[in-house]
Amino acid sequence: MTAVAGSHSIGDIPILAALKFDNVSMTYPDGTFALDSTNFEVHPGEFVTIVGPSGCGKSTLQRIASGLSKPSTGTVTVDHDSLGYVFQDATLLQWRTVRKNIELLAELNGVPKAERQAKAQETIDLVGLNGFESKYPKQLSGGMKMRASLARSLVLDPKLFLFDEPFGALDEITRERLNDELLSLFQRSGFASLFITHSIYEAVFLSTRVLVMSARPGRIVGDFEIPFEYPRAPDLRFEPQFAELSGRVSHALRGAHS
Amino acid sequence: MTALSNEVGLGATAPSISESTLAEAQEVASQPHDQTPTRHISDYVGPPITFAVFIGFWYLMSDWGLKHLFDKPKFLIPEPHVVVHDSLQSVPRGDLLRGLGYTTQVVLIGLGISIVLGMALAIAMAQARWLERSVWPYLVALQAIPILAMVPLIGSIMGYEVNSRILVCVIISIFPIVSNTLFGLLSADQGQHDLFTLRNASRFTRLWKLQLPAAMPSVFTGFRISAGLSVVGAIVGELFFVRGGKGIGALLDQYRSRNIYPLAFGALVLCAVLGIAVFIIFGWIGKLVVGRWYVSTRKSS
Ligand SMILES: Nc1ncnc2c1ncn2[C@@H]1O[C@H](COP(=O)(O)OP(=O)(O)OP(=O)(O)O)[C@@H](O)[C@H]1O
Ligand SMILES: [Mg+2]
């Protein structure tokens, strides 16, 4: 598999992982055993997607990766200063316009005003929010909100992007369009991704690698390399090889459910 | 006829109150994307009709009800046009307008103090749970003790002057400001807090850029309630703390004790006008501040 975009090494010299989970387990204070000794790495250039049954601990894993939760045992290696995140809710601040929302994280990081405004404008163009800069979140559709949420982190030029079912609430057409756009951003900006979804097709379409988690307590029980070249055409979704791979992931997932 | 047109004006301003609630109801019912509520003819005819019914009822009580239902002399409830006519004579008109000025001053000073103290207290309470838990009982107690029971004490300590009236305003109006501000500060959602946590935002940044803006809709609800209460406080205060300028409350008491009922009713109407005016003004400022972005979420209530 030489042509895989997410190859782990250059000439046998390993590149430092963007994210590394080392034997990470999580038990909540109420006794819920959510995550069971999980090991994986996300390397620069990789797009890793996790699929798993509902309630298996995917969001838990994502919160641990972001640093919002501390694992009960195990270690997580990640550079917190170069993280981007898009979670299931767009969590835009209702009182800020799209432009000011997109500036928020840069503002919190203390980026000087002129610089962050220029950067915000650049990402607004990038995610296709032109003409919506002065709108308030209540005036946006779900897809537009997600674009704004994505842009908000893009401003920081993250090395690793964490996505927790970002497009779960959208209709299929919008979701596929955003998938295409996300991939061109992925190629253009070169961030590594850890993506969580319920949709096997979304997982296979986006990723260099798909991990399958078991039912709670979540463990990684499947690991699939997705060999398709980037850029990926929207019609890749109808190729036989795509269907075949999706079938294998689906099979593993069904095994994970029981 | 300025006073009459004043009263008609009162009826005509009423739509902005009902409109705001109506608009909120519509936002909940339909998609929150478009914010301009459609106005129906019924929005405009409703207030004049209720106003007409109100005036009609007043005449009915004055001309018929008082005698036949309560067996009391007619002068206790003078007819509306008599109230207007008598109140507009130059001497009472001057007194009433000056009184309105004094009372308004006390109302605004009291409200201002309540806003500053109340918000400061709420902000402090939002920072530390132990503070919240230990301050609440006193606030509730302040609410529960009738102000009349405190009047003698306030009088003996602070004297019977304007300061005491202001204190009454503050005591009456501070609670809604504290409770609404606190509720608002704690209303920012977890996902938004997470963003600030992830960027290591300081407490102050979180307060200034997240909690306070999120609190604004509920803060303004508090202002609106407190504005009305502050009017009540000022009027009640005037009945007891009689030194200093004569406000509407003092005039009301004076006219009543001298049996000049038309003027007493004139003073009453002015109290109502003042209350409605501050209510509308704060509603309007609130809309100006949060109207552009706020989507009312009263579904749960
Ligand atoms: N703060 C918490 N305290 C206690 N238990 C929790 C907490 N958060 C999540 N859980 C539990 O941990 C388990 C995993 O939750 P998590 O949200 O990570 O699942 P998920 O895989 O993201 O589910 P979904 O696919 O529905 O989003 C669930 O059983 C959940 O009830
Ligand atoms: Mg989840």
Side-chain angles (χ1 to χ4, degrees), chain A residues 63 66 68 80-81 85 91-96 104-105 107-109 136 138-140 152 156, chain B residues 32-33 35 189 191-192 194-199 201 205 209-210 213-214 291-295:
Chain A
R63 285 180 70 84
S66 71
L68 282 171
H80 288 290
D81 291 331
Y85 3 75
T91 61
L92 302 173
L93 305 182
Q94 309 91 287
W95 51 90
R96 286 184 172 227
L104 176 74
L105 295 182
E107 195 179 314
L108 294 180
N109 272 7
Y136 286 89
K138 71 171 179 184
Q139 297 166 301
L140 301 183
R152 181 174 61 189
L156 301 180
Chain B
H33 291 286
Q35 287 311 300
D189 74 45
Q192 295 173 338
D194 286 349
L195 275 179
F196 282 72
T197 308
L198 285 166
R199 288 342 295 163
T205 305
K209 297 197 168 169
L210 175 61
R292 269 173 311 168
W293 58 265
Y294 182 55
V295 184

Side-chain angles (χ1 to χ4, degrees), chain A:
Chain A
M1 299 217 171
T2 42
V4 174
S7 53
H8 302 176
S9 52
I10 299 173
D12 289 340
I13 301 166
I15 297 172
L16 218 56
L19 172 68
K20 181 171 173 167
F21 268 51
D22 195 2
N23 249 325
V24 173
S25 298
M26 180 67 175
T27 307
Y28 282 105
D30 67 357
T32 309
F33 189 13
L35 207 59
D36 187 11
S37 40
T38 303
N39 293 288
F40 69 91
E41 295 182 6
V42 180
H43 298 268
E46 266 195 313
F47 198 117
V48 176
T49 296
I50 297 181
V51 292
S54 190
C56 74
K58 302 183 296 295
S59 295
T60 302
L61 181 151
Q62 201 66 291
R63 285 180 70 84
I64 291 174
S66 71
L68 282 171
S69 311
K70 297 270 161 287
S72 315
T73 59
T75 49
V76 175
T77 316
V78 65
D79 178 8
H80 288 290
D81 291 331
S82 62
L83 274 185
Y85 3 75
V86 179
F87 294 149
Q88 185 155 11
D89 298 318
T91 61
L92 302 173
L93 305 182
Q94 309 91 287
W95 51 90
R96 286 184 172 227
T97 59
V98 167
R99 183 194 299 286
K100 297 290 280 177
N101 261 294
I102 291 175
E103 282 179 33
L104 176 74
L105 295 182
E107 195 179 314
L108 294 180
N109 272 7
V111 177
K113 192 166 184 169
E115 190 181 324
R116 69 169 188 256
Q117 281 175 342
K119 194 74 194 157
Q121 187 55 53
E122 198 180 299
T123 50
I124 284 169
D125 297 341
L126 214 56
V127 300
L129 278 172
N130 309 79
F132 291 88
E133 294 96 331
S134 323
K135 300 261 189 239
Y136 286 89
K138 71 171 179 184
Q139 297 166 301
L140 301 183
S141 67
M144 287 295 182
K145 282 185 191 151
M146 276 305 159
R147 285 191 165 96
S149 181
L150 188 66
R152 181 174 61 189
S153 280
L154 272 179
V155 167
L156 301 180
D157 282 325
K159 293 200 180 58
L160 174 68
F161 233 115
L162 305 175
F163 299 96
D164 191 356
E165 295 190 47
F167 310 137
L170 305 177
D171 65 275
E172 188 145 344
I173 304 286
T174 311
R175 174 193 278 228
E176 287 185 359
R177 168 124 44 86
L178 285 172
N179 281 172
D180 296 336
E181 289 175 16
L182 178 58
L183 275 196
S184 52
L185 280 175
F186 168 63
Q187 281 191 271
R188 187 180 187 287
S189 309
F191 48 77
S193 293
L194 180 62
F195 193 97
I196 284 170
T197 177
H198 274 127
S199 161
I200 292 164
Y201 304 104
E202 186 174 41
V204 173
F205 183 74
L206 293 174
S207 319
T208 58
R209 217 172 130 210
V210 175
L211 304 177
V212 178
M213 268 174 91
S214 70
R216 188 164 62 84
R219 256 172 313 110
I220 289 166
V221 294
D223 186 342
F224 298 85
E225 290 277 331
I226 311 297
F228 306 118
E229 297 269 6
Y230 295 87
R232 292 179 177 176
D235 278 350
L236 172 66
R237 298 183 178 90
F238 310 115
E239 305 270 330
Q241 211 192 341
F242 184 92
E244 197 261 333
L245 252 174
S246 303
R248 280 168 50 203
V249 174
S250 172
H251 202 76
L253 191 55
R254 219 162 302 152
H257 259 282
S258 51

Side-chain angles (χ1 to χ4, degrees), chain B residues 79-287:
Chain B
E79 292 161 315
H81 67 269
V82 176
V83 169
V84 172
H85 175 268
D86 289 10
S87 303
L88 283 181
Q89 301 312 304
S90 69
V91 174
R93 187 178 63 201
D95 287 348
L96 283 170
L97 285 181
R98 256 192 311 280
L100 184 64
Y102 281 128
T103 306
T104 308
Q105 239 173 23
V106 172
V107 167
L108 293 181
I109 294 173
L111 187 61
I113 294 175
S114 274
I115 287 176
V116 172
L117 281 184
M119 287 188 70
L121 196 56
I123 288 170
M125 286 162 83
Q127 301 305 308
R129 208 170 144 62
W130 66 267
L131 197 61
E132 184 191 338
R133 288 173 57 86
S134 43
V135 170
W136 264 125
Y138 298 94
L139 285 169
V140 175
L142 206 58
Q143 274 283 91
I145 300 173
I147 191 73
L148 294 188
M150 286 194 261
V151 159
L153 193 62
I154 295 172
S156 6
I157 297 174
M158 307 247 314
Y160 290 82
E161 302 177 11
V162 179
N163 285 350
S164 292
R165 298 187 207 162
I166 293 174
L167 182 63
V168 171
C169 282
V170 174
I171 291 175
I172 283 192
S173 66
I174 199 167
F175 184 80
I177 292 186
V178 179
S179 60
N180 281 276
T181 305
L182 186 61
F183 174 79
L185 289 172
L186 301 178
S187 73
D189 74 45
Q190 188 57 46
Q192 295 173 338
H193 273 290
D194 286 349
L195 275 179
F196 282 72
T197 308
L198 285 166
R199 288 342 295 163
N200 286 322
S202 66
R203 234 164 216 253
F204 177 77
T205 305
R206 194 183 291 265
L207 176 68
W208 188 245
K209 297 197 168 169
L210 175 61
Q211 293 182 292
L212 271 176
M216 279 307 133
S218 128
V219 165
F220 275 98
T221 307
F223 285 0
R224 214 150 62 146
I225 298 168
S226 293
L229 290 174
S230 187
V231 173
V232 173
I235 306 274
V236 169
E238 283 168 14
L239 299 181
F240 296 96
F241 307 118
V242 291
R243 291 199 205 129
K246 263 195 173 39
I248 315 175
L251 288 171
L252 176 63
D253 199 40
Q254 178 186 323
Y255 294 143
R256 189 197 47 78
S257 65
R258 288 200 263 142
N259 287 343
I260 318 176
Y261 281 83
L263 293 184
F265 270 77
L268 265 184
V269 168
L270 272 189
C271 294
V273 169
L274 182 56
I276 291 173
V278 287
F279 187 86
I280 288 177
I281 287 170
F282 274 92
W284 180 74
I285 298 175
K287 274 205 143 170

